[in-house]
Structures are given as C-alpha cells and as structure tokens.
Amino acid sequence: DGGITQSPKYLFRKEGQNVTLSCEQNLNHDAMYWYRQDPGQGLRLIYYSQIVNDFQKGDIAEGYSVSREKKESFPLTVTSAQKNPTAFYLCASSTGQVVSGYTFGSGTRLTVV
Amino acid sequence: SQQGEEDPQALSIQEGENATMNCSYKTSINNLQWYRQNSGRGLVHLILIRSNEREKHSGRLRVTLDTSKKSSSLLITASRAADTASYFCATDSGAGSYQLTFGKGTKLSVIP
C-alpha cells in the first residue's frame, strides 16, 4: 500500500539538543511539506519542497532545517535555536499539481523535557 | 498567515442530525479543500472544489463554494458518532507554487 510514514510517533528532547523527524513516502509524489500544529492554532507551514535538492521556507522556518536528497524522503531537524519546539509535527506530500490533495502522515509529537 | 477561517470553532450535535461548518478566506483561490483529523492523527483529504464550481457531493458530504463572498460550507448529513473529528478547510496560494494554507478547524462532536 502506498502511503507516507512519519517516525517516531513520540519524541522527547532535552533543551539544547537537535532532533530529526523522519518522513518517507512511496507515492512517487514530487512535493513534500512540513507543518507544525499547536492547540487552537491550526497548521502552520515550516518548509516545503517541490523537487529533489530544492526546498523553500514556509511561514515559520526559523529554528528548523530540512533536506531533500531523495524524492521519497524529507527529514526535518528541529534545532536548539527553536525556542518553543513542543508541538505536533505533520508531514504531507502531493503530486504538486493544483488539482490534487495532500496525503498526510500520522504525525510526530515532540516534547521538550 | 491563516487564509481560511472556520466557523464555528466547535460544534456538538446528536447522531442523525446534519452538521454544517463554514470557511471564509481572504484572497482569490484556485481551489478549496476540506480535510478531517481524528484526535492525535494526521489529516485526511475529504473533498476538493474548484473555483469555477459551486457545489460538490461525495457520499454524505456536500460542499458549496461562493467565490463572491469568499466562503465555503461543508455539510455532513445524517451524522454518526464516527464523524467526531476536527474539520479543516484549506486554500491554495494561487501564486504559482502549490501550497495549501489551513484554517484553525472546527471541532465536531457527534453524540450517540
């Protein structure tokens, strides 16, 4: 079955540490996205990538970094520069065409301890 | 920035009743989409309506779009307890690169 997989489901980080969230898709989608979701705030775009080896900042990119070395993979690193990283992180992919919807992963809940 | 804003923020109904959620947006769009999110899970794409369409149906879902008022509504008919979830509208940027901007969602509770 084709889909998008995020791991881990739960992640705990000590202050000052960098952590990397994994996102893998086998849908042959060109575009991939990272969103952050906080309670009552909806989804906010962190980074997106439309093709391999290229990505753009979204609305809240500060304190985050990404890479897109393979079409299937779009990992997100939450750096120590991110002041309030505790949140639910969602990865999504799409064909990149206007008329298609997004396919989402099941999310990673990051907690800073 | 939030493009879509859903209304109401929360909605509680009895099983079998219809549920209506509204979405307003600010700038021109190519299409508007609705997604569902069960608690602690990812979003699931429900339906897409293009800017030149006024109404679309999918099973128990009916979506309308009024581009003159920059608004959309999602109607779920004959609701079931399993429909309990948060519902989000999303609009594309219409600016070349295909990105979706999501609203804050409507939390629907269907009471058995």
Side-chain angles (χ1 to χ4, degrees):
Chain A
D1 287 339
I4 183 166
T5 302
Q6 288 187 243
S7 62
K9 189 172 178 67
Y10 298 96
L11 186 58
F12 296 89
R13 190 196 91 171
K14 293 183 179 179
E15 286 193 22
Q17 285 183 335
N18 293 353
V19 290
T20 298
L21 283 60
S22 172
C23 179
E24 303 275 336
Q25 54 99 0
N26 60 3
L27 299 165
N28 199 33
H29 283 172
D30 288 317
M32 297 187 75
Y33 313 83
W34 273 105
Y35 285 89
R36 169 180 172 142
Q37 186 176 31
D38 296 281
Q41 298 235 4
L43 278 68
R44 292 184 288 170
L45 182 65
I46 304 173
Y47 268 98
Y48 65 100
S49 168
Q50 292 181 286
I51 56 173
V52 175
N53 292 322
D54 187 48
F55 47 83
Q56 282 76 43
K57 293 181 179 180
D59 298 323
I60 56 165
E62 186 175 351
Y64 300 98
S65 65
V66 294
S67 63
R68 187 85 187 277
E69 297 176 0
K70 299 186 298 181
K71 188 175 185 178
E72 302 78 21
S73 179
F74 192 41
L76 173 74
T77 296
V78 183
T79 75
S80 56
Q82 170 50 234
K83 298 304 178 190
N84 184 21
T86 294
F88 189 51
Y89 291 87
L90 287 161
C91 180
S93 69
S94 78
T95 62
Q97 301 300 314
V98 171
V99 293
S100 69
Y102 284 12
T103 301
F104 278 85
S106 56
T108 293
R109 188 166 298 279
L110 173 64
T111 303
V112 173
V113 296
Chain B
S1 58
Q2 301 290 143
Q3 161 77 308
E5 291 289 338
E6 291 88 347
D7 169 63
Q9 291 185 342
L11 179 62
S12 184
I13 60 173
Q14 294 290 129
E15 201 165 27
E17 295 180 338
N18 295 342
T20 300
M21 289 158 271
N22 303 297
C23 170
S24 60
Y25 57 92
K26 297 174 184 174
T27 62
S28 62
I29 59 172
N30 290 319
N31 67 67
L32 185 144
Q33 305 179 25
W34 285 91
Y35 288 78
R36 166 196 168 121
Q37 183 182 33
N38 286 74
S39 181
R41 305 300 301 272
L43 279 71
V44 174
H45 182 256
L46 294 176
I47 195 166
L48 178 152
I49 185 165
R50 302 186 193 196
S51 59
N52 61 355
E53 296 176 311
R54 291 297 168 258
E55 187 170 312
K56 202 162 183 180
H57 296 255
S58 177
R60 294 184 296 112
L61 305 180
R62 174 185 166 229
V63 170
T64 62
L65 180 64
D66 187 335
T67 53
S68 67
K69 295 181 179 179
K70 292 187 170 58
S71 68
S72 173
S73 67
L74 171 68
L75 169 68
I76 303 174
T77 60
S79 64
R80 305 166 182 167
D83 294 327
T84 295
S86 291
Y87 292 83
F88 295 86
C89 69
T91 54
D92 70 322
S93 64
S97 62
Y98 179 45
Q99 309 168 43
L100 289 181
T101 302
F102 289 81
K104 295 183 179 181
T106 292
K107 190 169 185 177
L108 173 66
S109 299
V110 181
I111 303 166

